[in-house]
Every structure is written in C-alpha cells, then in structure tokens.
C-alpha cells in the first residue's frame, strides 16, 4: 500500500516530464498568440458550484465527484472539470465589467473524477482548457476549435477527427424535446434504467448512451430542428472553419444535454489500435451558464483537452518528442584543488546558461566518467592537477572519444556561444 499510488493516478517521472513541459509550452504559446490569458482557480470548490455548473443530471455529478466535508462542515468537491470554477471566478471578480470578451486559458489543470480506472480513464487527470466569456459570434467558436487543433498538431497529434454539432437554444429546444419524448415514449421500457430516469429531465442525454444509442438511430435530431438564430450560427461556424481550411464532420449525436449548453458542441477524436475511439478534446457553447450561476447574462464557450490522452496518442503513433540533452557539460575533477576549480567552473557555466554539473557523490575519476556516460553527456570537462598548474582544462568528446586541451577562461565562452 505504502509504495503504491492510489488507483487511477499516475506519476509524472523525470524521464517523461519534458513531454508535459512541451505540451504546456505549446499551449501557452498558441493561447498567447490568439490573445488568451491564463486563469488558475482553486483545486476545490463548494460542491454546489458543480451541481449547478456541471449539472446534477450528469454522470460527473451523480457518480464521479470527489466530495467530502471539511472541518467546518462545508461540502467541498475536488474539481472534476475547469469550466465551473472559471465561471465562478469570472462572476466573483466582476470580470464581466471589464473589456469583453474575456479570453481565458488554463494549462495542465488537475481534475478529479471517481471513474472505473481503465485505459484513458484516470481518477486524477489533467486538462488544458480555454473559456471565452462575452463573445456570441460563431467566429469565436471557430477560433477555439482551431486553437485546439493547432495545439494538438504542435504535439505530434495529427490525423484527428473533428466532429461538430449544434444542440440549439432554450428557444428551439423546447419544441424539439417534445418531439424527442414522443419518439422515445413507446421505446422507454426497452431503455436502460439511467435513460428511463433521463426521460423527463434530460432526454437528449439518452441519445448519448452507449447502451441505448444504437436502438435510436432514427431519432429526430436537434440539428434538423434549430431556430433561425441557431441555424444561422451553425452555418457561420461552418463558414469560418472552411475559411481556416479545417476539415470537420457533422455528428448529430454529440450532445451536452444540459439546459445552459447551447448551439455549438464539438469533439476531437482519434481511433485506437483496438478499434475503439478516444476523445482527446471536447467542448461547447454555454450561453446560459454565467446567468445560471448568478452572473449577468453572458455568452460563454470553451473546451477541455486531456493531457494524459494526448500522451497516449503520442505513444500510439510514436510521435513523442525526444528528450532534450540532460546536460551540456559534465565536469570531472581529480583532487581537492581541482574540485574547488570545478565548483567555480560549473557555477560560471550555469551563469552563462550552459547546463552543467559535477560529481556530488565523492566518486573516483573513473567512476565520474562512468556516471557522465550513464547520463548520456557528450562533453566532459576534465580538471586535474597538471591542467590546473597550466591553467587549462581537457575537453573530452564522449561520443568520438577525442580530447583537446584549452585555457580555462575559454571554456565558458566556448560553451556559452555554442
Ligand atoms: P469521455 O466521453 O471520455 O468520458 P467526457 O465527456 O467525460 O469524456 P469532458 O468532461 O468533456 O470529457 O472532458 C474533456 C477531456 O478531458 C476529455 O475529452 C478527455 O480528453 C479528458 N478526460 C475526461 N475524463 C477523463 C478521465 N477520467 N481520465 C483522463 N482524461 C479524461
Ligand atoms: Mg466522462
């Protein structure tokens, strides 16, 4: 137990951390280019925020939340996703009174869901995400979708499928839900228990049920029942995506069946070797959410992207980035005086932005070389008493096994300029 991490969690080990860093770097870079600024919200919030913000008919709220009572008897929940916290912060900080739209992002934000651990499903995972408040035009829908595709592409994750859909607005959805219920009613006894419960409050989610969806292929689609405003929004979105040369497919089965999700919803998915599908990124418009959580009516839209799933796709495709060189130079010393000079030299190298280190384990000279080899260091700088007296060092190329002697002062300059 003691040396085993809790089920559904993963360590990020030093040999892999460069992959995370590179994902985060590309996220920050792409977001900055498009005018998005970072927001960080707490890892836990009042439980009620997620009940309202994610919706208490969702699996996330009904089954997957890490909820506990704190010492002050408040019900607290570890965040299962990033949107609700961002909306709460938007309202609490009166960001709605600033210049809108507010274009926000978060990078590698920890999320917690009590799910059955399996491939691609963790209990602590990490999301990149963007949220935009105060932009109702479909140009922003297209912008965030393009942003997601660019970030995935920058990380060697290509060949993804982009599926889009529109789930309408409270205006057109009311009549559609009636149509849908009329269609579902005679089939109700054949549906699973969860879907029977969804029939009244959230019938669109039934179309999303893995068990029941195959029986419902001729169900009326929201997409065919949009009001003029929603239909024109969807047309505009397709136009903007086309203008950016983004390929997409329309999938009328994507739903985010909550009242405050509106219009655009989308998923970015990839095939897995076992014939399944993996969703790497999902998002949508939530024009009713800010108001639902107590703020002024403000349109919103966002997506969440699973970092561990990005890593899975990199592994599947063999497109993981190579680790950068661990060190530019390793200093090997012999004797106390040389060691003093080595400490000084390493310090100067680091000061010039050169990645450098020396032995800290009191190893013999031979063992220092062996250690440098193990680290895969190409350049070893040798300081021994002979060299010290001459004011020089030996520079050893560990790959070609060549050596040259050069003045100590030149070494720092040489590495700093290389
Ligand atoms: P799924 O259909 O896979 O359950 P979801 O609809 O629950 O996904 P979202 O709430 O949209 O997922 O979260 C956005 C992204 O976060 C997902 O596309 C996925 O990449 C990632 N994600 C969601 N749940 C998990 C999990 N348990 N473990 C790892 N990544 C996850
Ligand atoms: Mg899920």
């Amino acid at each position: 137990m003691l040396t085993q991490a809790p089920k559904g969690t993963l360590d990020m080990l030093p040999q892999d951390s460069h992959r995370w860093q590179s994902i985060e770097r590309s996220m920050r870079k792409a977001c900055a280019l498009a005018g998005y600024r970072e927001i960080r919200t707490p890892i836990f919030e009042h439980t009620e925020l997620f009940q309202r913000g994610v919706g208490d008919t969702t699996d996330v709220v009904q089954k997957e939340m890490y909820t506990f009572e704190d010492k002050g008897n408040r019900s607290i929940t570890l965040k299962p996703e990033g949107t609700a916290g961002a909306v709460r912060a938007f309202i609490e900080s009166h960001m709605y009174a600033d210049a809108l739209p507010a274009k926000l992002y978060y990078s590698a934000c920890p999320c917690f869901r009590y799910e059955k651990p399996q491939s691609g499903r963790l209990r602590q995972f990490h999301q990149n995400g963007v949220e935009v408040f105060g932009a109702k035009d479909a140009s922003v829908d297209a912008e965030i979708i393009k942003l997601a595709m660019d970030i995935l592409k920058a990380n060697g994750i290509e060949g993804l499928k982009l599926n889009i859909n529109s789930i309408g607005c409270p205006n057109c959805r009311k009549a559609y839900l009636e149509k849908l219920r009329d269609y579902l009613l005679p089939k109700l006894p054949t549906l699973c228990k969860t879907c029977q419960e969804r029939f009244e409050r959230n019938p669109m989610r039934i179309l999303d049920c893995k068990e029941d969806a195959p029986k419902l292929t001729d169900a009326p689609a929201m997409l065919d029942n949009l009001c003029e405003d929603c239909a024109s929004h969807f047309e505009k979105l397709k136009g903007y995506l086309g203008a950016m040369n983004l390929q997409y497919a329309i999938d009328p089965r994507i739903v985010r069946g909550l009242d405050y999700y509106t219009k655009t919803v989308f998923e970015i998915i990839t095939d897995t070797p076992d014939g399944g599908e993996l969703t790497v990124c999902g998002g949508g418009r939530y024009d009713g959410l800010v108001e639902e959580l107590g703020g002024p009516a403000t349109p919103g839209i966002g997506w969440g992207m699973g970092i561990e799933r990005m890593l899975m796709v990199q592994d599947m495709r063999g497109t993981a980035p190579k680790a950068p060189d661990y060190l530019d130079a390793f200093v090997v010393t012999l004797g106390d005086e040389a060691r003093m000079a080595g400490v000084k030299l390493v310090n100067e190298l680091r000061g010039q932005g050169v990645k450098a280190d020396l032995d800290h384990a009191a190893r013999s000279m031979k063992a220092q070389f062996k250690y440098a080899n193990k680290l895969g260091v190409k350049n070893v700088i040798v300081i021994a008493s002979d060299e010290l007296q001459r004011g020089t060092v030996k520079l050893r190329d560990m790959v070609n096994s060549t050596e040259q002697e050069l003045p100590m002062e030149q070494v720092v300059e040489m590495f700093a300029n290389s």
Side-chain angles (χ1 to χ4, degrees):
M1 270 300 255
L2 204 60
T3 51
Q4 218 166 46
K7 244 186 176 179
T9 65
L10 280 184
D11 292 313
M12 189 229 322
L13 297 170
Q15 64 267 28
D16 287 325
S17 53
H18 71 99
R19 294 174 64 184
W20 284 72
Q21 288 165 3
S22 142
I23 289 175
E24 289 196 55
R25 255 195 317 273
S26 61
M27 173 75 189
R28 292 178 191 287
K29 190 171 161 200
C31 286
L33 278 175
Y36 288 68
R37 290 182 299 172
E38 186 176 15
I39 183 165
R40 298 191 198 196
T41 62
I43 258 174
F44 58 85
E45 299 270 0
H46 293 122
T47 301
E48 200 194 343
L49 176 71
F50 300 115
Q51 287 167 341
R52 296 278 288 275
V54 179
D56 50 17
T57 61
T58 55
D59 282 355
V60 170
V61 170
Q62 283 184 348
K63 303 185 206 151
E64 299 171 0
M65 293 210 299
Y66 274 90
T67 298
F68 59 95
E69 224 169 68
D70 73 3
K71 290 191 166 64
N73 302 321
R74 297 171 201 91
S75 180
I76 292 293
T77 294
L78 302 182
K79 64 170 142 184
E81 52 90 61
T83 304
V87 175
R88 198 255 320 124
F90 173 80
I91 298 170
E92 189 172 352
S93 69
H94 307 290
M95 219 184 287
Y96 49 78
D98 298 340
L100 294 182
K103 296 164 74 166
L104 312 174
Y105 80 88
Y106 38 88
S107 174
C109 156
C111 297
F112 304 85
R113 296 187 194 175
Y114 196 80
E115 301 213 62
K116 212 165 125 214
Q118 49 180 291
S119 171
R121 232 166 255 297
L122 293 159
R123 290 184 173 170
Q124 177 176 342
F125 61 100
H126 299 78
Q127 273 187 359
N128 284 340
V130 301
E131 316 287 346
V132 183
F133 300 103
K136 66 176 188 198
D137 195 81
S139 55
V140 88
D141 307 35
E143 175 177 290
I144 67 162
I145 292 175
K146 179 66 166 55
L147 196 53
M149 295 299 268
D150 284 347
I151 291 160
L152 293 166
K153 206 167 155 185
N155 287 284
I157 302 168
E158 293 191 49
L160 299 173
K161 282 189 271 180
L162 164 63
N163 292 333
I164 62 170
N165 187 25
S166 173
I167 54 166
C169 67
N171 235 344
C172 45
R173 203 177 299 150
K174 208 162 158 242
Y176 166 71
L177 290 184
E178 264 171 43
K179 243 191 212 181
L180 182 60
R181 284 200 191 93
D182 286 348
Y183 164 85
L184 290 170
L185 192 59
K187 301 189 163 52
L188 209 51
T190 70
L191 303 183
C192 74
K193 229 181 114 238
T194 323
C195 283
Q196 293 183 0
E197 286 164 17
R198 284 170 175 157
F199 179 77
E200 274 311 320
R201 291 184 60 195
N202 203 351
M204 268 165 89
R205 285 297 307 267
I206 298 178
L207 303 177
D208 196 28
C209 171
K210 287 190 178 67
E211 208 175 303
D212 293 332
K215 303 175 208 158
L216 307 170
T217 45
D218 58 344
M222 183 69 240
L223 201 57
D224 302 324
N225 291 276
L226 298 177
C227 62
E228 213 175 290
D229 181 37
C230 290
S232 117
H233 189 92
F234 197 57
E235 283 311 307
K236 278 191 194 154
L237 168 64
K238 291 191 284 183
Y240 292 131
L241 292 176
M244 292 188 286
N245 289 323
L246 259 191
Q247 303 280 323
Y248 60 85
I250 296 169
D251 179 357
R253 309 224 133 235
I254 309 173
V255 296
R256 294 233 149 190
L258 285 170
D259 289 346
Y260 26 84
Y261 281 108
T262 49
K263 300 191 167 98
T264 310
V265 285
F266 67 92
E267 279 175 0
I268 303 173
I269 60 174
T270 184
D271 295 327
T272 54
D274 62 0
E277 276 181 346
L278 193 68
T279 311
V280 186
C281 178
R285 198 166 252 289
Y286 46 81
D287 287 348
L289 185 54
V290 175
E291 199 174 12
E292 169 70 24
L293 292 179
T298 310
I301 185 168
W303 51 246
M305 179 185 283
I307 293 197
E308 287 84 353
R309 292 205 186 164
M310 291 173 78
L311 296 173
M312 275 176 77
V313 181
Q314 285 182 341
D315 286 335
M316 269 162 22
R317 309 228 163 130
T319 54
K322 253 183 54 202
D325 284 345
Y326 179 43
L327 291 175
D328 301 318
F330 187 80
V331 177
V332 166
T333 63
L334 182 64
D336 289 346
E337 217 183 321
R339 193 166 163 71
M340 198 61 81
V343 167
K344 191 165 166 256
L345 178 60
V346 164
N347 190 48
E348 284 170 9
L349 285 166
R350 290 176 184 170
Q352 293 301 313
V354 179
K355 292 185 285 184
D357 204 0
L358 80 169
D359 169 57
H360 295 290
R363 289 178 172 92
S364 71
M365 200 169 195
K366 195 172 156 206
Q368 290 179 45
F369 271 107
K370 230 171 132 183
Y371 175 65
N373 233 339
K374 242 185 181 168
L375 297 180
V377 183
K378 182 168 179 264
N379 298 298
V380 166
I381 301 168
V382 188
I383 312 178
S385 48
D386 283 1
E387 284 91 34
L388 256 189
Q389 277 184 357
R390 288 199 291 274
T392 62
V393 299
K394 277 212 182 94
L395 184 61
R396 186 170 174 79
D397 179 328
M398 300 288 277
V399 178
N400 302 314
S401 300
T402 52
E403 228 173 49
Q404 66 178 110
E405 191 165 337
L406 70 164
M408 178 87 89
E409 315 85 68
Q410 265 182 34
V411 165
V412 176
E413 205 179 319
M414 200 189 96
F415 274 97
N417 295 331
S418 67

